[in-house]
Amino acid sequence: MFYAILAYHEEEVVESWTKEEDAALMAELLEVNERLVSEKRLGPAARLGPTGRAVTLRGKDAGMIIDGPFAETKEQLLGFYVVECPTLKDAVAAARDLRRANPTAVYEIRPILLYRPGAPLLPEQES
């Protein structure tokens, strides 16, 4: 079963980190990523841009574009991981590893009902 691990945090806190603090945190998170990759359990993962540059599509028919933020919460969705785990318990264990690296973040774990690997993020270079 695939699970989405959604990483939430207060944007103001994340934006207050120095480049060095951010790089140190990312290095710790990448250690977890590399382990999950070596175990062939990590699918797509992304760090999302600021909510101030996000928009929301809602409404009937073609819908209406509304400037972000798109949620009335203290924390914002900052990124996500897709992990392959046999049980929810195993997915929670993976999220706990991420939380050890970033203990002030909130992680939501949700089963994925349909997963189709997408196109590569960057187009392949022509030789």
Side-chain angles (χ1 to χ4, degrees):
M1 166 81 55
F2 287 96
Y3 291 89
I5 300 175
L6 309 175
Y8 291 86
H9 210 301
E10 293 179 57
E11 261 183 351
E12 295 81 24
V13 172
V14 173
E15 291 169 353
S16 74
W17 296 336
T18 65
K19 286 184 180 183
E20 294 79 15
E21 290 170 324
D22 187 68
L25 172 64
M26 291 308 294
E28 287 187 57
L29 290 172
L30 287 172
E31 286 180 24
V32 177
N33 287 11
E34 289 171 6
R35 181 179 53 78
L36 291 170
V37 166
S38 71
E39 295 170 354
K40 298 186 184 329
R41 294 175 47 207
L42 185 64
R47 187 175 192 182
L48 301 176
T51 58
R53 293 183 12 209
V55 297
T56 301
L57 174 64
R58 66 175 68 213
K60 294 182 179 183
D61 301 319
M64 181 169 130
I65 298 292
I66 302 167
D67 289 338
F70 43 84
E72 296 293 327
T73 65
K74 189 174 181 181
E75 297 92 8
Q76 289 79 35
L77 176 62
L78 298 184
F80 65 89
Y81 302 83
V82 174
V83 295
E84 186 174 7
C85 298
T87 68
L88 177 60
K89 182 179 177 181
D90 294 313
V92 169
R96 284 192 171 127
D97 289 342
L98 295 166
R99 186 163 170 80
R100 276 191 277 285
N102 189 3
T104 58
V106 174
Y107 293 93
E108 176 182 351
I109 300 97
R110 300 173 96 176
I112 295 176
L113 301 180
L114 175 64
Y115 175 77
R116 292 187 180 156
L121 291 177
L122 299 174
E124 291 185 26
Q125 300 286 330
E126 291 185 12
S127 304

